[in-house]
Amino acid sequence: FTLGQNRIYLAFPEIGFPTSYYLSVNDLVVEQCAAEIQQLSMPRFVSWRARKWLKPQENLYFIHTTYTGEKFARDIRERVWEGGTVTYTSLQVAFFLGFSQVILIGVDHNYVTQGKPNATVVSQGDDPNHFHPGYFGKGFRWQLPDLLQWEDAYRLARRTFEANGRSVVDATIGGKLRVFERV
């Protein structure tokens, strides 16, 4: 089973398959990519806020996410803290779905583009931070990362998984994240 995030569908031709699940909770991603997200056929999880841009349909699940109130939601039918990153939200979805081990792939935790965390910027050209130059390509609005907040959230996820006899490992080649065991 695979859970892809944000614009993962750009990689489907290269990897040769669509992900089993899809998740996006970032308002800027959903707003700018609503038509693409709407066309995906796998079960999709999006923030409740996404209802401004997405029409309800089969396999589209709206979850109540929040920017505040640090916690790890074991049940995504309740309020889910985003932790500043879609990957943290994905870990909560995976926990809720019952997965005993999660293997992270492609969590580089390293950005070429620098600036004030969470500031909204507009890409001026190809995206140097993701797997595809068009991921957040020219003209795309996105927020700069807050790697320290993400690490706090990931530590909370790790503690929750481990306290429940589950695990998260990181198989990203060359990634900079050091919260999870590297495999």
Side-chain angles (χ1 to χ4, degrees):
F1 294 96
T2 54
L3 195 160
Q5 304 165 153
N6 291 335
R7 301 200 74 200
I8 185 63
Y9 48 81
L10 295 174
F12 291 171
E14 183 179 336
I15 62 177
F17 62 91
T19 55
S20 308
Y21 302 97
Y22 171 83
L23 174 75
S24 187
V25 294
N26 183 288
D27 292 351
L28 292 176
V29 172
V30 175
E31 177 187 9
Q32 295 171 95
C33 303
E36 296 163 351
I37 295 167
Q38 198 81 59
Q39 294 299 313
L40 298 172
S41 61
M42 76 283 290
R44 292 151 296 153
F45 299 92
V46 294
S47 170
W48 179 248
R49 297 179 308 273
R51 70 191 187 286
K52 291 186 260 186
W53 305 288
L54 298 174
K55 297 175 190 164
Q57 66 184 154
E58 188 176 340
N59 288 332
L60 181 62
Y61 303 99
F62 294 93
I63 55 179
H64 291 273
T65 63
T66 180
Y67 303 131
T68 61
E70 294 181 15
K71 73 171 204 165
F72 185 93
R74 298 171 188 180
D75 185 341
I76 63 168
R77 295 172 295 182
E78 299 172 2
R79 180 80 57 188
V80 174
W81 178 52
E82 293 181 14
T85 174
V86 67
T87 304
Y88 180 73
T89 309
S90 292
L91 290 169
Q92 294 168 93
V93 170
F95 189 96
F96 175 74
L97 293 174
F99 293 102
S100 59
Q101 183 182 55
V102 174
I103 302 170
L104 300 175
I105 299 172
V107 182
D108 296 330
H109 201 64
N110 181 39
Y111 283 75
V112 173
T113 308
Q114 300 290 311
K116 181 182 175 195
N118 301 309
T120 299
V121 296
V122 177
S123 293
Q124 299 302 307
D126 287 349
D127 183 345
N129 302 298
H130 294 91
F131 64 86
H132 189 284
Y135 192 94
F136 289 164
K138 186 174 177 124
F140 203 96
R141 293 176 291 122
W142 62 288
Q143 284 111 358
L144 295 174
D146 185 342
L147 299 179
L148 296 177
Q149 180 187 27
W150 297 4
E151 290 170 10
D152 287 342
Y154 292 147
R155 281 190 281 278
L156 178 54
R158 180 180 178 167
R159 288 192 303 271
T160 305
F161 268 81
E162 290 175 352
N164 288 274
R166 303 182 191 191
S167 67
V168 178
V169 296
D170 186 352
T172 301
I173 296 171
K176 306 286 188 214
L177 182 61
R178 296 296 180 251
V179 172
F180 303 106
E181 176 188 353
R182 305 275 303 163
V183 296

